[in-house]
Amino acid sequence: MIRLIRNEFLKLHRRHFFLVSFVIVSLALSIYTGVYYFMADNRTDQDIVEQQLEKEKAYMAQIESIQWDTELEMQSAILSSQATIDRLQYMVDHKIAVWDWRSDVLSRYYTNQNIISLLNAGQDPKDYGFTDSSGSYDSKATWIQRLTNQCDVQMRMVEENDYMTYSQEQLGLLQTQYAQNYSNMSTLDQVLMDIEIESWKLYIQYQTPPRAVDQWKSVAIEELANEKEALARFQYDETYTENMTEEVKSRQYTWTKRRIRINEFALKNDTIPLSVYETMAANANTVTYSSYLLSLKNMMLVVMAVCVLLSATIMSREFTRGTIRQLLLSPYSRTTIAASKLITCLCVAAIFSVLTPVFGMIAGRLLFSNQTIGSSLSTGALPSYVSNLRNNIIEFPFHTYIFMNYALEALKIVVMIVITLMFSTITESASGPGLIMLVLSLAGAQIFQALYEYIYPAKALRYLLFGNLNLIQYIQGSWVAPYPSAITSIVVIFIVTLLALFVYFTNFRYKEISA
Amino acid sequence: MAENAVLQLDNVSRYHGSRMVIDHCSCDLYPGEIVGLVGPNGSGKSTLIKLILGLFHLSEGSIRIQNKDISEIFRKPGNRVGAILEDPTHYEYMSGLDHLMMTARLYPDVSLERIREVTDMTGLKSCIRNKVSSYTTGQKHMLALAQALLPKPKLLILDEPTNGLDPVGIRELREILKKLAQEGVCIMVSSHILSEMDMLCSRIIIMKNGRFIADLSSHELLDPNRVRVRIRVGQPEQAVEILESLFDDISIRQENDELVITGENLQVPQMNRTLIFNEIDVYEIAINREPLEEYFLELMQEDKS
């Protein structure tokens, strides 16, 4: 058998198969990596603030040339713009990002400063509707003093980066608002308000700045709130689910619940989930090593194409060239000859399936870093993948998760090789089976998804191979039509592969060679 | 005797649908024999060879090579059957040496020395490292022969080996095959070129409609008692009448102005004298030098009548 396989490798070598496919795969990987590298918007938060500042300054420069209805309106616009410029300048000087909670406080601070200037310039507090708690108008001096005090508190909060006070203040405000409006609110609004209050409590509990996109706990709390909101809408908002089928609704509902469990687990166990990490990377417009390596998985399609073309030709060319006769005269059984062809294809698939992630790891380490997206991740440690498998939370170390991704892609390639080999051996032709299998291997899942969703939504479609090949969906907890289960997918893949192997070996064993 | 047989066919039959294309063929082939398989197109020669090589399935009967059923023989490393099928095919992008190395790899006992030996024997030494795509038809045939000879086969089967070969190539092939037969290899050759078969084979099996209709040794073919004489005359009808009345045990066939006479102990001078005496113009007398062709045509004609 080894001798036959060595002969197959020699034939491939002489056909320049290895050279050509290595060049194709490497080129595809390099182009993909290059595009990924240059597509990444590596603007820092500082750049964004500076750009906003420039924009605001430009607006300020032309504000007097705009037609205003009244002088007061123009003065107000100038002051407002000046407040924005002051705020952005402060943020640039103190390296504060646009999403930072301090931006909100600073905005209020400079608005207050603005109003103080206007009051000092002779404006009446009545113009602004300023009243005290009893509803009567206070004097200008009282207001100026009050606003100045507020400004002092706000600036101290900003200067000391006192997000705990800020969060408590926000929580207090929300709770007051909630208590005041509770009776007038719909159930949905009540639940949504509950969720928001819960988020602020979590920011305080986990001592993390609110809505900070560079702090994983903040991101996780934000995601948790979004998912809980989705869940609330499932229950109380009919318009939210009116376009969903029962099946989609049920999947989405389960998926949302799983996401909630994963984020709660992450917060409790102080584990950064990969999903949160990727959200942070996306927020920062940064390409990370982990997102690159996961995305490079798409290039396994090129490997699949190479392997499908090899499987389509490795046997059929022997028939079309007539060399099969000589091959069958060798002192090996037909089963051994068929097995040697299959193993050769599998070896090639294995070589390229290993090459792709290894290339990714090297290029990823050289080009993309995991240390660029935030202080809390600056250790460079890779996040784990947290999955909710049948109500059990499982934590996969990053490289284990990557290995699973690539291994399941390789499994797809193995299945496609067996089926292509079977068809090309039965038909003794490379072009037909090669082309059909190439299309199916590249777009089979999408074709079947479209078939199920738009043309023929029969549940039986879930037993077709191409709806079942994406096994990683069960670990990720996201499903695609026609929504098979993990067990169905494994059984379907197993049966189809065994059947294809049986047909391939039997057909070749009893085939008459008339060429 | 049969125990020594290299190839034994026992009532070998094969159907294509309901049509019987090989009809109960039996024979034994022995070491050192060069057996020619002769027959018109569609007589079943190639089908029989494919059956022997296991490329087609048997419908009935059995084929044994060195006392082993062919269902076993092609699966074991002990397989020592070499074959060149009609229009030998190769991997055009590989060199001759690649082909020999690949074949050698499948037989653990084939050494580099053996590769050199067959390369020399087949005259491929000068082009062995070239790609097969640059080979002439003759060189491709020789490469196929070299591949077949590598494992020192006991049985060598060649289907139309001279197709596309020039006279020099045919002669070279003939010399190699004769040498191999002397070394004890049993060779089965199918061909349309009867003169070539006549020169090469020690035994001829004639096939028609899937059946063996004659199995002759070359001695039988060259039996001086079965001479064929061709006489070209001016008055053929008269000549047939005269000869038939005066000579017993002869068979005369008229082909235009030629008489083809077969029979035992043909007395050619007396016939000549008789014709001249009866004022028949005799232009040419030829003792047939192609007994196989004559015999073959005769058999075909008999079968037709």
Side-chain angles (χ1 to χ4, degrees):
Chain A
M1 170 84 98
I2 300 289
R3 291 162 184 270
L4 280 170
I5 295 170
R6 281 179 66 191
N7 278 356
E8 291 302 329
F9 269 84
L10 179 66
K11 285 181 214 167
L12 293 180
H13 174 58
R14 291 286 190 259
R15 263 169 71 184
H16 305 300
F17 170 81
F18 291 113
L19 182 71
V20 171
S21 44
F22 184 81
V23 168
I24 289 173
V25 173
S26 305
L27 212 60
L29 289 172
S30 306
I31 291 172
Y32 189 84
T33 307
V35 169
Y36 211 78
Y37 184 75
F38 290 109
M39 287 279 280
D41 177 5
N42 282 313
R43 283 181 307 164
T44 61
D45 289 331
Q46 200 61 27
D47 294 337
I48 296 167
V49 180
E50 278 173 15
Q51 277 172 15
Q52 285 190 3
L53 180 60
E54 291 310 311
K55 214 171 152 188
E56 195 60 40
K57 280 180 176 170
Y59 172 68
M60 181 68 152
Q62 57 173 337
I63 210 161
E64 284 180 11
S65 59
I66 297 170
Q67 287 286 324
W68 297 97
D69 289 342
T70 61
E71 182 68 17
L72 187 66
E73 262 184 27
M74 192 182 76
Q75 286 304 324
S76 174
I78 290 171
L79 282 169
S80 168
S81 186
Q82 187 57 51
T84 308
I85 289 169
D86 291 342
R87 174 175 64 87
L88 290 169
Q89 190 61 57
Y90 185 93
M91 286 163 74
V92 169
D93 295 344
H94 295 83
K95 294 187 170 45
I96 295 172
V98 276
W99 43 261
D100 197 298
W101 65 275
R102 287 174 289 182
S103 173
D104 174 40
V105 179
L106 282 170
S107 178
R108 281 192 273 143
Y109 170 82
Y110 284 107
T111 307
N112 283 346
Q113 287 290 333
N114 210 349
I115 297 167
I116 292 168
S117 306
L118 286 169
L119 292 174
N120 283 332
Q123 290 272 323
D124 193 332
K126 284 178 187 171
D127 295 341
Y128 301 95
F130 285 166
T131 59
D132 65 7
S133 53
S134 63
S136 57
Y137 290 102
D138 284 335
S139 68
K140 189 185 284 185
T142 314
W143 269 110
I144 290 173
Q145 187 57 47
R146 193 176 286 163
L147 290 170
T148 308
N149 289 345
Q150 275 182 17
C151 281
D152 289 346
V153 171
Q154 283 160 346
M155 188 44 80
R156 197 173 57 247
M157 222 189 303
V158 169
E159 281 172 350
E160 292 172 6
N161 195 10
D162 185 6
Y163 50 83
M164 289 299 281
T165 305
Y166 175 74
S167 294
Q168 272 155 355
E169 184 190 85
Q170 293 296 313
L171 177 63
L173 277 172
L174 265 176
Q175 281 171 330
T176 310
Q177 203 182 335
Y178 189 51
Q180 283 169 354
N181 301 321
Y182 182 78
S183 52
N184 302 328
M185 288 161 82
S186 67
T187 316
L188 176 64
D189 287 340
Q190 285 170 0
V191 175
L192 293 182
M193 186 73 99
D194 276 337
I195 292 167
E196 206 176 339
I197 289 171
E198 180 67 25
S199 293
W200 286 102
K201 283 181 179 170
L202 287 175
Y203 288 131
I204 295 163
Q205 184 188 341
Y206 290 106
Q207 299 183 358
T208 185
R211 290 167 188 159
V213 299
D214 67 340
Q215 301 291 317
W216 78 264
K217 283 182 183 170
S218 297
V219 176
I221 291 167
E222 186 83 8
E223 280 192 1
L224 204 55
N226 292 338
E227 283 143 12
K228 282 181 175 171
E229 186 187 327
L231 213 56
R233 290 191 186 279
F234 264 112
Q235 284 171 311
Y236 304 110
D237 185 359
E238 282 176 9
T239 56
Y240 188 68
T241 54
E242 66 187 1
N243 292 327
M244 294 182 190
T245 62
E246 278 307 308
E247 198 156 28
V248 173
K249 207 166 130 182
S250 149
R251 297 279 172 190
Q252 290 271 12
Y253 186 77
T254 317
W255 185 83
T256 309
K257 279 177 91 173
R258 284 167 65 128
R259 299 293 320 147
I260 291 171
R261 280 171 60 90
I262 288 167
N263 278 328
E264 281 176 348
F265 171 89
L267 286 167
K268 273 179 200 151
N269 294 278
D270 205 16
T271 301
I272 314 169
L274 189 60
S275 52
V276 170
Y277 191 91
E278 291 309 318
T279 307
M280 291 167 74
N283 286 341
N285 287 319
T286 305
V287 175
T288 59
Y289 168 70
S290 48
S291 61
Y292 163 71
L293 206 51
L294 275 172
S295 165
L296 195 73
K297 196 180 75 170
N298 296 331
M299 284 295 100
M300 288 292 272
L301 282 177
V302 177
V303 176
M304 192 186 281
V306 167
C307 291
V308 163
L309 290 178
L310 171 66
S311 325
T313 53
I314 195 165
M315 187 65 98
S316 59
R317 276 169 73 110
E318 301 278 6
F319 284 102
T320 49
R321 286 171 178 272
T323 44
I324 188 73
R325 302 179 304 191
Q326 204 62 37
L327 195 62
L328 292 179
L329 291 177
S330 64
Y332 292 92
S333 69
R334 286 190 179 198
T335 308
T336 314
I337 292 167
S340 72
K341 298 273 187 196
L342 174 64
I343 292 171
T344 305
C345 293
L346 295 181
C347 287
V348 170
I351 291 168
F352 286 115
S353 298
V354 170
L355 178 84
T356 307
V358 167
F359 176 96
M361 281 177 194
I362 296 167
R365 286 286 185 204
L366 291 175
L367 298 173
F368 309 108
S369 164
N370 260 36
Q371 300 183 13
T372 55
I373 59 166
S375 56
S376 68
L377 296 176
S378 62
T379 55
L382 287 161
S384 341
Y385 188 82
V386 181
S387 175
N388 183 347
L389 288 173
R390 298 183 76 81
N391 295 326
N392 296 312
I393 298 282
I394 298 175
E395 204 181 323
F396 297 101
F398 178 73
H399 280 109
T400 308
Y401 179 66
I402 286 291
F403 172 79
M404 282 192 318
N405 268 276
Y406 280 88
L408 290 175
E409 287 299 312
L411 177 74
K412 278 188 209 172
I413 296 176
V414 169
V415 176
M416 299 316 287
I417 284 175
V418 174
I419 298 174
T420 313
L421 206 48
M422 176 194 74
F423 279 132
S424 65
T425 306
I426 291 173
T427 58
E428 297 178 18
S429 154
S431 49
L435 203 65
I436 292 170
M437 292 311 293
L438 196 63
V439 171
L440 285 178
S441 48
L442 298 182
Q446 287 78 358
I447 291 170
F448 276 80
Q449 204 172 336
L451 182 69
Y452 182 84
E453 285 185 353
Y454 304 113
I455 300 167
Y456 186 62
K459 290 197 171 182
L461 281 184
R462 74 186 58 197
Y463 301 112
L464 290 173
L465 179 71
F466 291 93
N468 288 287
L469 276 175
N470 189 23
L471 286 178
I472 197 75
Q473 64 181 324
Y474 302 112
I475 291 166
Q476 291 173 337
S478 57
W479 301 271
V480 288
Y483 312 114
S485 70
I487 300 294
T488 313
S489 290
I490 291 166
V491 170
V492 167
I493 291 172
F494 189 70
I495 290 176
V496 169
T497 310
L498 270 190
L499 201 66
L501 278 173
F502 174 76
V503 174
Y504 167 59
F505 280 107
T506 312
N507 177 268
F508 187 67
R509 191 171 171 190
Y510 295 107
K511 190 181 267 296
E512 296 210 325
I513 314 298
S514 49
Chain B
M1 191 69 173
E3 297 86 67
N4 301 333
V6 179
L7 174 67
Q8 294 165 280
L9 306 185
D10 182 17
N11 276 317
V12 171
S13 301
R14 153 91 184 176
Y15 291 92
H16 269 172
S18 59
R19 195 166 64 90
M20 195 175 235
V21 286
I22 299 292
D23 186 358
H24 297 91
C25 292
S26 298
C27 70
D28 292 341
L29 270 58
Y30 296 96
E33 275 190 321
I34 303 183
V35 181
L37 198 57
V38 179
N41 285 339
S43 60
K45 302 185 300 292
S46 292
T47 306
L48 183 66
I49 285 177
K50 281 175 181 161
L51 283 170
I52 295 170
L53 295 174
L55 300 178
F56 279 175
H57 302 304
L58 277 175
S59 301
E60 282 172 32
S62 72
I63 299 172
R64 294 173 73 78
I65 295 172
Q66 290 182 285
N67 290 317
K68 281 181 190 162
D69 195 86
I70 50 156
S71 56
E72 293 171 40
I73 198 92
F74 289 104
R75 296 178 189 182
K76 300 282 162 61
N79 163 24
R80 286 291 185 267
V81 179
I84 308 176
L85 292 165
E86 205 177 343
D87 302 325
T89 47
H90 300 93
Y91 305 100
E92 301 282 320
Y93 49 87
M94 299 176 91
S95 70
L97 187 60
D98 284 335
H99 282 79
L100 295 182
M101 292 298 280
M102 284 203 300
T103 310
R105 197 174 277 148
L106 304 180
Y107 298 89
D109 55 338
V110 173
S111 60
L112 280 175
E113 189 49 43
R114 178 67 185 156
I115 294 178
R116 247 176 248 127
E117 228 173 88
V118 294
T119 312
D120 289 345
M121 191 193 290
T122 50
L124 289 172
K125 202 172 175 180
S126 60
C127 60
I128 199 67
R129 288 181 188 279
N130 298 350
K131 279 189 180 173
V132 173
S133 53
S134 68
Y135 281 22
T136 62
T137 310
Q139 285 171 329
K140 285 180 184 170
H141 274 76
M142 285 303 173
L143 178 60
L145 182 64
Q147 275 182 281
L149 293 180
L150 266 183
K152 294 188 176 171
K154 299 284 180 215
L155 173 64
L156 186 61
I157 296 175
L158 304 98
D159 189 10
E160 306 285 355
T162 51
N163 268 9
L165 286 188
D166 60 16
V168 179
I170 294 174
R171 191 195 169 114
E172 281 173 0
L173 181 67
R174 186 167 64 228
E175 296 306 319
I176 293 170
L177 295 181
K178 281 191 168 171
K179 198 170 157 235
L180 288 167
Q182 279 167 11
E183 291 168 7
V185 179
C186 173
I187 301 168
M188 181 187 241
V189 192
S190 87
S191 177
H192 284 108
I193 305 171
L194 298 172
S195 58
E196 188 50 46
M197 298 294 266
D198 209 7
M199 277 189 269
L200 176 69
C201 300
S202 57
R203 183 177 162 191
I204 302 286
I205 293 173
I206 299 176
M207 282 190 85
K208 193 178 180 194
N209 296 332
R211 281 182 291 118
F212 287 171
I213 57 169
D215 185 347
L216 306 163
S217 71
S218 55
H219 297 119
E220 284 172 292
L221 283 168
L222 297 170
D223 184 353
N225 294 332
R226 285 192 60 83
V227 177
R228 288 153 193 78
V229 176
R230 284 177 176 272
I231 305 176
R232 194 153 66 84
V233 293
Q235 302 80 17
E237 285 82 11
Q238 264 179 281
V240 170
E241 219 171 279
I242 293 162
L243 290 175
E244 275 181 345
S245 63
L246 293 175
F247 295 89
D248 295 332
D249 299 328
I250 61 164
S251 143
I252 306 175
R253 195 172 75 234
Q254 187 191 333
E255 289 178 4
N256 299 326
D257 60 346
E258 259 190 6
L259 309 181
V260 181
I261 307 167
T262 52
E264 288 185 9
N265 299 318
L266 289 182
Q267 293 160 330
V268 182
Q270 285 90 324
M271 284 182 184
N272 186 24
R273 270 202 299 276
T274 307
L275 289 172
I276 291 167
F277 185 76
N278 285 285
E279 295 184 339
I280 303 287
D281 302 328
V282 177
Y283 298 110
E284 191 182 347
I285 299 179
I287 307 222
N288 201 323
R289 297 190 187 283
E290 291 177 356
L292 176 59
E293 191 176 322
E294 286 296 327
Y295 189 69
F296 180 76
L297 292 173
E298 207 172 284
L299 274 175
M300 292 303 123
Q301 206 136 36
E302 269 174 25
D303 216 67
K304 219 180 263 178
S305 64

